[in-house]
Amino acid sequence: LAVGGLLGFFLWSGGRNKAALAARAAYEAQVAELAQKAEEAAAKQAEALAALLAFVHTFAPTATNEFGISAALSRALMGEDKLAPLQAALDGTRKTLELAKAALGPAPQPPQTVDCQPQHPYQEVVARLAVLSEEMSRKERMLAAAQGELRTLGDPDQVEAALDEKKEELLRRKEEYEALGLAIETLTAAHQERQARFSPALNQRAGELLRELTGGKYDGLTLTKSFDASAQEAGEVLPRNILTLSQGTVDQLYLAIRLAVCDLTLPTENPPVLVLDDALANFDDERMKLALEHLLRRSEKQQILLFTCQEREGAYLKGRKGVTLTKL
């Protein structure tokens, strides 16, 4: 019986004759040809899949199967220019399937008197064709998903314009960064050069002032870049760190440094007013006298305001020329 396009067979009760054998041979040849065409179609499908995989390997070399291809395509779809090769590959696969269908042709009609089983049943061929059709449908769904992702990116022209704008902004930022870097290097070099010239002069002037403020007990002073100070006692080889000095000597040292900075940085013509607030609070009477005598000599060229909460400075300076005492 032949039902639904499937092949059935009749058993012929009569004796076999030459016509039946010829029909059988023709049928077997036809079925063999059909099976060969199916295998060729499957080979073309495999070749198309391999070509698609080779294309995907150009940007996703780790993809090995259909799932890998789908993931790679989803990641790679960043613009229509990347979608075009995928569309071409899918079109090639679709054409291969159409050629396979055309090569199969219509199902052959079995001879009425053949009583043998075909080597490749027609059902198997139909099943293979169904698999190929399903594969094509799956790839069409992949393409539709990729196109949907592409649409979510917006207008390609707008995306390209935004990208160009970001590139220009990045270039501007890079130029600003390079300019700032050059400015920092220049300022650092200038600072180092100024420091190299200023530090020796500061140490020299501060040492002279310390000698005057201490009555010659200390005749040298060193101030490092980190503002660690030390004093050179007259006749000694090694300087003494401020940690080993008395509080009064330390105050004399830093007063000498502040006055040296004023001498080196303030204008010599019409210098600004020098304000000292309890600068001599930790000085004993002898240190105070030395400091006040120096300030009196300095006041001949610069006005000095000395604030103090003690009476001894006023008592010592009372009646001296150019000194005005004011109680607040």
Side-chain angles (χ1 to χ4, degrees):
L1 297 177
V3 180
L6 300 180
L7 296 179
F9 303 96
F10 291 97
L11 293 179
W12 185 45
S13 59
R16 297 184 179 183
N17 52 32
K18 293 182 179 181
L21 293 176
R24 174 179 175 178
Y27 177 75
E28 289 180 347
Q30 190 175 15
V31 171
E33 181 181 0
L34 182 61
Q36 182 179 1
K37 291 181 178 180
E39 291 177 356
E40 292 175 354
K44 290 182 179 180
Q45 170 62 17
E47 181 180 354
L49 181 60
L52 179 60
L53 189 61
F55 163 73
V56 172
H57 280 175
T58 60
F59 56 88
T62 59
T64 58
N65 51 33
E66 292 85 347
F67 297 102
I69 292 174
S70 177
L73 291 176
S74 297
R75 293 191 299 267
L77 288 175
M78 299 300 295
E80 290 185 349
D81 56 333
K82 294 183 179 179
L83 182 63
L86 177 62
Q87 179 67 56
L90 184 60
D91 291 341
T93 303
R94 185 181 293 108
K95 290 180 179 179
T96 300
L97 293 176
E98 292 175 354
L99 291 175
K101 291 181 179 179
L104 291 176
Q109 296 298 325
Q112 298 298 320
T113 58
V114 176
D115 60 354
C116 61
Q117 285 290 106
Q119 185 178 0
H120 298 284
Y122 186 74
Q123 294 91 328
E124 181 179 348
V125 176
V126 174
R128 289 185 182 182
L129 184 59
V131 171
L132 295 177
S133 298
E134 177 61 28
E135 180 68 14
M136 186 180 69
S137 299
R138 190 177 65 82
K139 290 181 180 179
E140 288 177 342
R141 291 193 296 271
M142 290 171 54
L143 178 60
Q147 291 174 335
E149 292 185 12
L150 181 61
R151 285 193 294 271
T152 60
L153 297 176
D155 186 6
D157 293 337
Q158 294 180 356
V159 174
E160 187 69 23
L163 180 60
D164 292 340
E165 183 179 352
K166 295 297 182 183
K167 288 181 178 178
E168 292 178 359
E169 183 178 357
L170 178 61
L171 181 60
R172 289 195 300 271
R173 297 298 184 186
K174 184 178 180 181
E175 292 175 350
E176 292 176 0
Y177 175 80
E178 292 176 351
L180 289 175
L182 180 59
I184 291 174
E185 291 178 1
T186 304
L187 291 175
T188 301
H191 172 72
Q192 292 175 348
E193 181 181 358
R194 181 178 179 84
Q195 192 175 52
R197 292 186 288 105
F198 184 76
S199 294
L202 177 63
N203 287 333
Q204 181 179 354
R205 180 55 182 158
E208 295 171 353
L209 292 171
L210 182 62
R211 183 185 307 112
E212 186 176 349
L213 293 174
T214 60
K217 182 177 180 180
Y218 293 91
D219 58 0
L221 183 152
T222 302
L223 184 66
T224 65
K225 295 180 181 180
S226 57
F227 297 99
D228 292 328
S230 60
Q232 181 73 41
E233 191 171 1
E236 295 292 333
V237 177
L238 297 176
R240 296 179 58 184
N241 189 273
I242 60 174
L243 298 178
T244 64
L245 302 175
S246 65
Q247 185 61 47
T249 303
V250 172
D251 284 358
Q252 285 178 309
L253 184 149
Y254 281 114
L255 178 59
I257 293 174
R258 292 196 294 272
L259 293 176
V261 171
C262 292
D263 291 342
L264 295 175
T265 58
L266 297 180
T268 57
E269 297 292 336
N270 298 322
V273 177
L274 177 62
V275 180
L276 299 175
D277 185 11
D278 264 338
L280 313 179
N282 292 319
F283 286 25
D284 57 23
D285 290 343
E286 185 62 27
R287 290 188 176 96
M288 179 201 70
K289 292 177 182 179
L290 293 172
L292 290 177
E293 291 297 331
H294 172 77
L295 293 177
L296 281 173
R297 290 190 293 273
R298 180 179 286 266
S299 67
E300 295 176 1
K301 298 180 179 181
Q302 180 182 22
Q303 184 179 7
I304 300 175
L305 298 180
L306 174 62
F307 292 91
T308 177
C309 62
Q310 303 182 46
E311 297 289 339
R312 58 178 187 162
E313 287 90 342
Y316 184 80
L317 294 174
K318 187 175 181 180
R320 301 291 290 268
K321 181 180 177 179
V323 176
T324 301
L325 301 178
T326 302
K327 289 187 178 182
L328 302 177

